[in-house]
Amino acid sequence: MPPHVSADRSAAQPPGRGSVDALITQTRRLKGDMDAVRQDTRRDAADPQGRWQRALCDLALHQLDDLDTHLAQLRDGPPPVPAAGPAPAAPVASRRESLLSRVGSAEWNLLTDEALWSEELYGILGRGPTAPPLTLDELPALVLDEDRPKLTAMVTDCLIDARPIDGEFRVVRPDGEQRTVHMMGEPVLDAEGGTTSMWAVLRDVSELRRSQRAVRESRDSLQRQRHLAQTEHRLAVEFQEAVLPPWRGSPRLPHQGPRSLDLAAHYLPAATTSRIGGDWYDALELADGHTLLSVGDLTGHGPTVTSTTAMLLGALRGMAMAGTHPAQLMAWLNQLLDATVQPALGSAVCCRYRPDTRTLMWAQAGHPVPLLFRDGTGRRLDAPQGVLLGATARAAYGQAEETLEEGDLLLLHTDGLAPADRLLGLAPRLDRARTAQECVRMVVEECGESERADDACVLVARVTR
């Protein structure tokens, strides 16, 4: 049973002061550590993860502020409350400074209809120091209309059924500001068990609830963002699976001539993003028996980029089937990308392999050049001129030729894979490989499929005879 809120409470002895002081010191140290953590959180307003982290830090700080204040009150003992009349005047500034964490107390006497308030309660409810404390009948006048039934029910249950009070309601202060108050109280009973008064403590939890609401909203925003990213990723994967060649492993072209290619390719997703990028590879046997090999990369991520990639690959295949050579292919792809509704930049390498003469014709648009491995050594092919696709209208592209030999290995890749020197260093190992698929496996093992900053792909063509 709590004591009556009266002047004689000031004589109460505070609990073990040393142990409480130690708890206060630990709490304030935690507040300092938490504030340092908050300073380190990301401040990007558009980043839901950062907003969520900051909101959690704010909530923790408010909780620690409350704990600090409550421990101080526990150490110092309950504040004196006059036997009657309003609380003495307190400086407005100091009352505002402690408004967020102070706890006020009150007692309503049912026999005399008197109300006794602590000074803190005046500050919490925004009452002037000369105003009389409100009776239980008058208190609902401060409460928001929709919360009055809740307060009435709590008070009624306490006075009639002797139930403890533990609930919140919102008050509107005289200055129009709305605050949330948490009220805990119990009835004070006489010797016969009848209720003579009601005792309560009231705490302003407005900032605490605001912080909790910010955490909840930030968490919901983060979940929506994650759901959106997952949906976007799923769509991009479906698009990409439709765009990239359906073959896996080490495919053979359906109508191979007297000199064939052993082919293998692999796509390596980025580790730092859940979105699919614009890297692609392709291999296609043409009507004249030649083979089209290409890799490319469009800037950006997501379904939009993947759909643009599908458009470029469709155009590339169609023009190649019509007999268009690599340089002209690049020029027309550049015009196509320049004319798209959403501007984009891309790089690409396009090769046309003629098996009867083992001749490789190729062109590039701002892309890493093919690497040629022969007899345990590797080198870069000399690059013809070519700017990025979409960078400038009506750009001209050069074309180069290279004669391959049996056992040669041609490696095409996008720039997110690895530096060319690192790939060329694999020459002795690649020379011992028996298949293109084994070569791709070595490249993937060297370059790694985890902790990648960007997505990439690699295409290997090995001259078998």
Side-chain angles (χ1 to χ4, degrees):
M1 183 83 56
H4 290 263
V5 182
S6 57
D8 61 0
R9 287 175 55 193
S10 62
Q13 295 296 317
R17 193 180 182 94
S19 59
V20 176
D21 281 336
L23 288 173
I24 291 174
T25 300
Q26 293 178 22
T27 300
R28 291 176 180 174
R29 185 181 298 117
L30 280 174
K31 285 168 60 178
D33 293 342
M34 181 54 64
D35 187 58
V37 171
R38 188 189 185 284
Q39 298 299 324
D40 290 339
T41 56
R42 289 173 287 183
R43 297 182 177 275
D44 184 0
D47 176 21
Q49 181 75 24
R51 290 198 304 270
W52 182 68
Q53 291 173 343
R54 288 195 304 278
L56 281 177
C57 288
D58 287 341
L59 176 58
L61 284 171
H62 284 309
Q63 295 276 24
L64 289 171
D65 280 339
D66 278 351
L67 180 59
D68 187 7
T69 300
H70 299 338
L71 288 172
Q73 290 176 331
L74 181 63
R75 177 194 61 193
D76 299 336
V81 178
V92 175
S94 63
R95 189 162 63 244
R96 287 185 181 275
E97 288 171 357
S98 59
L99 180 61
L100 300 183
S101 56
R102 280 190 319 195
V103 176
S105 59
E107 184 176 5
W108 289 276
N109 192 310
L110 302 183
L111 303 179
T112 63
D113 203 27
E114 288 181 315
L116 302 178
W117 283 11
S118 70
E119 176 185 350
E120 287 79 10
L121 186 54
Y122 277 83
I124 290 173
L125 299 181
R127 300 279 290 175
T130 61
L134 298 179
T135 66
L136 283 178
D137 291 334
E138 296 169 332
L139 184 62
L142 293 180
V143 179
L144 211 63
D145 290 346
E146 50 263 43
D147 288 357
R148 285 177 187 168
K150 183 191 304 183
L151 175 62
T152 300
M154 288 192 299
V155 171
T156 301
D157 290 343
C158 181
L159 299 181
I160 296 178
D161 299 328
R163 295 180 184 174
I165 288 177
D166 187 354
E168 292 182 8
F169 51 88
R170 291 165 295 172
V171 300
V172 180
R173 293 156 47 97
D175 59 6
E177 184 181 7
Q178 182 176 303
R179 309 295 294 182
T180 301
V181 176
H182 181 213
M183 182 177 182
M184 296 183 67
E186 293 182 1
V188 179
L189 307 179
D190 59 18
E192 288 75 28
T195 303
T196 61
S197 63
M198 189 183 83
W199 175 87
V201 292
L202 296 95
R203 182 166 66 113
D204 186 337
V205 294
S206 304
E207 295 305 315
L208 185 60
R209 296 297 174 257
R210 181 201 62 77
S211 295
Q212 291 172 331
R213 186 166 56 252
V215 169
R216 185 169 56 252
E217 291 173 352
S218 297
R219 183 190 61 224
D220 292 344
S221 174
L222 184 60
Q223 289 175 342
R224 288 193 299 270
Q225 193 79 9
R226 286 173 175 169
H227 177 71
L228 182 63
Q230 290 170 354
T231 301
E232 181 179 294
H233 179 263
R234 177 177 54 79
L235 290 174
V237 168
E238 291 175 356
F239 279 150
Q240 189 186 55
E241 289 177 347
V243 168
L244 294 181
W247 46 264
R248 296 294 185 267
S250 183
R252 293 275 178 175
L253 298 175
H255 303 97
Q256 300 176 65
R259 290 175 175 82
S260 61
L261 294 175
D262 177 19
L263 300 174
H266 191 77
Y267 174 84
L268 296 89
T272 56
T273 176
S274 62
R275 298 179 296 174
I276 298 297
D279 289 55
W280 50 269
Y281 59 84
D282 194 21
L284 177 68
E285 187 175 22
L286 305 176
D288 56 6
H290 297 182
T291 301
L292 175 72
L293 305 173
S294 64
V295 296
D297 182 12
L298 287 180
T299 56
H301 298 84
T304 301
V305 172
T306 309
S307 64
T308 304
T309 302
M311 175 192 70
L312 285 182
L313 274 175
L316 176 66
R317 286 183 159 213
M319 290 185 290
M321 289 296 288
T324 307
H325 283 192
Q328 186 61 62
L329 270 173
M330 288 298 177
W332 285 345
L333 288 179
N334 176 66
Q335 292 185 31
L336 179 62
L337 198 58
D338 183 63
T340 56
V341 176
Q342 294 183 333
L345 290 175
S347 67
V349 164
C350 180
C351 304
R352 191 181 183 100
Y353 177 66
R354 183 176 177 178
D356 57 343
T357 61
R358 295 199 183 107
T359 302
L360 184 78
M361 294 183 295
W362 69 283
Q364 63 86 28
H367 198 87
V369 299
L371 305 180
L372 178 61
F373 296 86
R374 177 181 295 168
D375 298 329
T377 61
R379 65 179 176 90
R380 301 175 179 85
L381 297 186
D382 295 330
Q385 70 175 16
V387 299
L388 287 171
L389 300 175
T392 180
R394 304 185 187 283
Y397 292 84
Q399 183 169 289
E401 289 191 9
E402 188 77 25
T403 300
L404 303 183
E405 299 178 3
E406 183 177 342
D408 282 356
L409 187 144
L410 190 69
L411 190 152
L412 311 181
H413 67 97
T414 56
D415 59 4
L417 182 66
D421 289 342
R422 184 176 175 185
L423 296 172
L424 291 173
L426 295 174
R429 293 176 57 191
L430 295 177
D431 188 55
R432 296 191 295 270
R434 292 171 296 177
T435 65
Q437 184 62 42
E438 189 175 342
C439 293
V440 167
R441 189 182 308 113
M442 290 179 181
V443 171
V444 172
E445 289 174 354
E446 173 67 22
C447 300
E449 291 199 69
S450 61
E451 301 304 322
R452 304 191 55 78
D454 193 10
D455 52 349
C457 62
V458 56
L459 171 64
V460 169
R462 186 167 169 267
V463 180
T464 57
R465 67 172 188 266

